[in-house]
Amino acid sequence: MLVRHRRVGNQSEAAFMDRAQKQGWAWQRIADALELPSADAAEERSETLALELSRAHPDNNARPSLP
C-alpha cells in the first residue's frame, strides 16, 4: 500500500512539473513551489521521477502484474 501511495505522489509531482514547464515556468520557480534548494535540484528531481516512474510502470515489467 505504501508503494502505491508513493507512486501516486511521484506521479502527481511529475505531472505538476510537466504542467509548470509547459506554462513557461523557470526551474527556479518550480524549485520554489516544491521547496527544493535550487533550479538544478528541481531539474534533477524531474529526471529522477521520470526514471522511477518508467521503471515502475506495469508495461515495463516482463511479467504481468497480478491483482
Side-chain angles (χ1 to χ4, degrees):
M1 187 155 127
L2 180 60
V3 172
R4 184 180 309 154
H5 288 290
R6 184 175 297 128
R7 184 172 49 238
V8 169
N10 286 347
Q11 288 170 334
S12 297
E13 188 175 353
F16 164 76
M17 294 173 116
D18 186 51
R19 275 193 312 269
Q21 280 192 297
K22 287 179 181 176
Q23 292 177 1
W25 285 31
W27 280 114
Q28 186 58 56
R29 186 174 177 193
I30 295 170
D32 292 343
L34 295 174
E35 299 182 356
L36 295 171
S38 67
D40 287 340
E43 196 166 0
E44 288 174 21
R45 177 71 179 145
S46 178
E47 292 168 4
T48 299
L49 285 172
L51 181 61
E52 287 178 12
L53 291 171
S54 71
R55 279 197 320 247
H57 194 280
D59 287 346
N60 293 332
N61 189 350
R63 293 185 291 177
S65 298
L66 299 175

